[in-house]
Amino acid sequence: MIHLSETLRLFHINRVLLRHGLDEVVLATHLLRPLRFLTYLSPWYWLRRERAPYPVRIRCVLEDLGPIFVKFGQILSTRRDLLPDDLAIELAKLQDRVPPFPGRIARTMIEKAWGQPIENVLDAFDETPLASASIAQVHTARLKDGREVVVKVLRPGIERVIRRDVRLLYTIAGLAQRYWKDGRRLRPVDVIREYEKTIYDELDMQREAANASLLRRNFLNSEKLYVPEVYWDLTRGDVLVMERIFGTPVSDVPALKAQGVSMQLLGERGVEIFFTQVFRDNFFHADMHPGNIFVEPSGRYIAIDFGIVGTLSTEDQRYLAENLLAFFKRDYRRVAELHVESGWVPRHTRVEEFESAIRTVSEPIFEKPLAEISFGHFLVRLFQVARRFDMEIQPQLVLLEKTLLNIEGLGRQLYPQLDLWTTAKPFMERWMNEQVGPKAFLAHMRRNFGPVSERLPDLPLLTFNVLDRLTHERMAIQWRSEELTRLRQEVQAGHARAKANAAASALFVSGTLLLVFGPGELLSPVAAQALAGLCLVAAAALFAWRTRSAQAG
């Protein structure tokens, strides 16, 4: 049941759709579809001015509906396996243009989280926000020991707003799945479920702090990436305190060139950082858009905003590495087999058909120079093809695809000649070598030695328990075997008695008929009487045997 507040919000959404000329969306709903013909009777339908392209109007609607819908559009733009290319590209332009909330409110929320006045903890706090987004806003501050920090605080009441709009999105998705012709194929309810998990994860500042700490540990003392320090003693569920960083936004190419930073080095380092996170650390920053990346004068990257991260299982890593290696070898059959082996497409999928579909998508890519081949777009096309074969899209791979597209776009913006394959291939080959062969075998042995050695003293007792259980099970099996043998013998004896009964009955009837109706033309009277006697004696013998057999059973 839809609440009153959701009903009002739904009317507001319809009004925004109409204002941006998306009346076809409103009139395509189940309830209003019968009234669609009325639009053709309206003079405004024929006299309205030329409208912007459909994807542009969708983007404007999401921007007008507020930050939660903007966030949803940003996440939806990564689902290129579901959306047309022009719509996905347009949604990727969505920006968080949210007015800041008053600094005094931020101060009050921080003091409540810390349980004491800000002056007891900070030497300075700037109430004018450094940045403001849909979920939180950031203020600069200085600790008592002089260290510069940033304080990230959740927007007041944001959780209530998110809950209301997520419920509404579920309602809209449910209607779409029920009445939209592509609803079942695109599964909008599942898309909203993914969005719900992502948006609620971003509400937990301690979770973001944990992500930042792990990424910092993975790249400690690295010359390629710097991750700011988290101040855990000041971090709470709705407040995050981190080291303040200073750098040039990665999108400010003229400023970077003026500092003498090599664009080729930046482009290649971005790819190296991404594949290091994926294949070495199995933990990657999944929100690497230009607004979250800065550069030091030395050319070292600085990352911020760790609300969205991704991880891959060993199977996922193997899938990615083998797929890309097979792709560049044009071994499309292996790509198809990998999908079936991983269980992401049904086992009954015909590999030959799947291979043919992948070849159709992949071959045109190789008409381009190697430096122009896009890994990200290859994964997008691969997912789109696999979708036709009922592939279950994995959320972690969607994050990977989105991040790879961001890294590729950024790398080629900085250095258009960037050869992604040359940069990425060593990472994948090194990872594959680490997973197979003698080194991998010894590494697995070392990893498993600890748990195995802990259980070695228990081995005699475990062996005794297994043998004891086997003995009892063998006795039970033997008993069941004897029972089955006896039952089989009884069935066989029953069959024999039934046959004897049938034969005795037939002999008795034959003997009786010979005695009653005589010999006929074929037998003499003496022969007929003798044969009748034999039949009756044989019938009596069979009846007697059947009776004794039944009594013995």
Side-chain angles (χ1 to χ4, degrees):
M1 182 177 177
I2 302 179
H3 296 84
L4 177 61
S5 61
E6 293 175 21
T7 304
L8 296 174
R9 182 74 166 146
L10 199 55
F11 276 119
H12 173 67
I13 290 172
N14 283 326
R15 190 165 60 85
V16 173
L17 288 168
L18 292 171
R19 187 168 72 239
H20 286 282
L22 288 167
D23 42 290
E24 67 264 34
V25 175
V26 179
L27 294 172
T29 58
H30 181 63
L31 293 175
L32 299 179
R33 198 179 300 152
L35 304 177
R36 191 161 39 184
F37 75 95
L38 293 175
T39 57
Y40 302 110
L41 303 179
S42 169
W44 302 112
Y45 178 83
W46 304 102
L47 298 176
R48 62 185 174 187
R49 56 190 176 180
E50 187 176 348
R51 299 179 297 182
Y54 181 77
V56 175
R57 285 180 281 149
I58 291 286
R59 175 178 58 80
C60 293
V61 163
L62 293 175
E63 287 176 341
D64 282 1
L65 288 176
I68 306 307
F69 283 83
V70 167
K71 201 78 175 174
F72 174 63
Q74 289 173 334
I75 293 173
L76 194 61
S77 70
T78 68
R79 296 302 305 267
R80 299 201 175 198
D81 57 303
L82 301 180
L83 299 179
D85 287 342
D86 56 347
L87 182 56
I89 291 169
E90 194 62 37
L91 291 182
K93 299 176 184 177
L94 285 165
Q95 299 292 326
D96 269 349
R97 298 190 184 94
V98 183
F101 60 90
R104 56 182 175 78
I105 295 179
R107 174 187 286 269
T108 302
M109 293 179 67
I110 294 167
E111 289 179 339
K112 182 180 178 183
W114 288 347
Q116 58 183 316
I118 275 185
E119 290 76 15
N120 292 356
V121 180
L122 301 177
D123 198 35
F125 177 79
D126 190 350
E127 290 192 359
T128 303
L130 178 67
S132 179
S134 56
I135 303 295
Q137 76 181 25
V138 178
H139 294 261
T140 58
R142 187 171 62 251
L143 299 178
K144 292 291 186 180
D145 60 8
R147 287 177 293 178
E148 298 286 335
V149 296
V150 292
V151 183
K152 186 174 182 179
V153 58
L154 287 180
R155 298 185 74 88
I158 187 63
E159 188 170 352
R160 177 179 53 80
V161 173
I162 288 175
R163 289 191 187 283
R164 181 199 65 187
D165 282 352
V166 166
R167 277 201 310 265
L168 190 57
L169 286 170
Y170 268 119
T171 301
I172 296 170
L175 291 171
Q177 192 153 309
R178 186 173 180 182
Y179 298 114
W180 184 27
K181 64 178 181 179
D182 292 325
R184 292 191 177 181
R185 180 176 64 87
L186 298 181
R187 297 185 296 180
V189 173
D190 290 346
V191 175
I192 301 300
R193 193 171 292 117
E194 285 180 28
Y195 167 68
E196 180 183 26
K197 181 181 182 303
T198 302
I199 194 97
Y200 280 129
D201 283 347
E202 289 196 61
L203 291 177
D204 187 353
M205 293 290 103
Q206 287 185 314
R207 184 179 183 279
E208 180 175 344
N211 294 339
S213 291
L214 178 54
L215 201 61
R216 176 180 171 82
R217 196 158 61 247
N218 289 342
F219 283 87
L220 200 60
N221 302 321
S222 168
E223 296 180 354
K224 298 175 182 177
L225 177 67
Y226 183 79
V227 178
E229 181 183 357
V230 173
Y231 296 101
W232 276 106
D233 54 338
L234 299 176
T235 296
R236 304 290 185 272
D238 53 356
V239 174
L240 169 62
V241 181
M242 297 185 73
E243 170 191 0
R244 185 179 182 182
I245 56 95
F246 297 90
T248 305
V250 73
S251 55
D252 192 351
V253 176
L256 293 172
K257 288 182 176 178
Q259 295 172 18
V261 177
S262 167
M263 295 297 103
Q264 179 178 355
L265 177 68
L266 273 186
E268 291 175 351
R269 271 189 176 174
V271 177
E272 290 173 7
I273 289 168
F274 172 72
F275 281 99
T276 298
Q277 292 179 38
V278 170
F279 288 106
R280 187 195 72 184
D281 304 329
N282 189 22
F283 184 83
F284 60 94
H285 192 311
D287 200 15
M288 295 289 282
H289 62 77
N292 288 338
I293 306 172
F294 296 83
V295 181
E296 294 178 345
S298 63
R300 182 168 66 167
Y301 281 105
I302 308 171
I304 63 169
D305 197 350
F306 309 95
I308 305 176
V309 296
T311 59
L312 299 178
S313 67
T314 304
E315 291 75 18
D316 294 334
Q317 290 174 313
R318 187 183 186 91
Y319 163 84
L320 178 65
E322 287 202 44
N323 257 303
L324 293 176
L325 289 169
F327 168 68
F328 276 93
K329 293 175 183 175
R330 299 195 185 191
D331 187 356
Y332 304 125
R333 184 174 185 83
R334 182 59 185 149
V335 176
E337 289 172 347
L338 283 167
H339 279 71
V340 177
E341 289 170 8
S342 67
W344 291 347
V345 295
R347 292 286 178 185
H348 58 74
T349 301
R350 289 190 59 189
V351 173
E352 294 78 12
E353 289 183 10
F354 196 17
E355 176 191 1
S356 177
I358 294 170
R359 181 182 295 107
T360 302
V361 168
S362 303
E363 277 300 316
I365 295 176
F366 283 101
E367 296 300 317
K368 300 178 180 180
L370 198 61
E372 294 179 20
I373 294 177
S374 166
F375 275 11
H377 284 101
F378 162 68
L379 283 180
V380 170
R381 296 287 176 256
L382 186 61
F383 289 168
Q384 287 174 340
V385 167
R387 194 80 174 174
R388 286 170 25 213
F389 289 82
D390 297 324
M391 176 178 175
E392 291 290 331
I393 298 299
Q394 309 295 314
Q396 71 275 19
L397 288 185
V398 173
L399 278 177
L400 180 82
E401 169 203 311
K402 166 203 168 186
T403 308
L404 187 51
L405 285 168
N406 283 340
I407 292 295
E408 264 192 324
L410 176 63
R412 288 195 169 133
Q413 177 187 342
L414 296 170
Y415 182 60
Q417 293 78 35
L418 178 67
D419 184 346
L420 214 73
W421 173 240
T422 302
T423 309
K425 186 180 179 183
F427 287 91
M428 288 180 284
E429 289 181 335
R430 189 183 310 126
W431 185 87
M432 289 297 294
N433 290 334
E434 289 171 356
Q435 297 303 306
V436 295
K439 279 188 177 180
F441 177 77
L442 291 174
H444 285 302
M445 287 285 290
R446 280 196 301 270
R447 194 158 47 244
N448 293 330
F449 179 74
V452 170
S453 62
E454 287 179 8
R455 302 305 302 271
L456 277 176
D458 300 330
L459 189 59
L461 180 60
L462 290 172
T463 305
F464 173 78
N465 289 338
V466 170
L467 292 173
D468 186 55
R469 189 176 303 142
L470 285 173
T471 302
H472 284 87
E473 288 178 358
R474 191 178 298 115
M475 290 173 64
I477 290 169
Q478 184 176 356
W479 178 80
R480 292 192 188 100
S481 178
E482 291 172 355
E483 284 290 303
L484 289 172
T485 302
R486 188 174 62 79
L487 286 172
R488 186 162 52 247
Q489 290 172 347
E490 288 181 2
V491 169
Q492 290 173 347
H495 286 165
R497 286 195 297 269
K499 291 177 182 177
N501 197 33
S505 300
L507 289 169
F508 179 78
V509 170
S510 299
T512 303
L513 289 173
L514 284 170
L515 289 174
V516 172
F517 294 103
E521 298 179 357
L522 295 177
L523 297 173
S524 65
V526 175
Q529 288 175 0
L531 184 59
L534 286 174
C535 287
L536 292 173
V537 170
L542 285 173
F543 276 126
W545 176 84
R546 180 186 65 80
T547 303
R548 284 197 305 273
S549 176
Q551 289 173 350

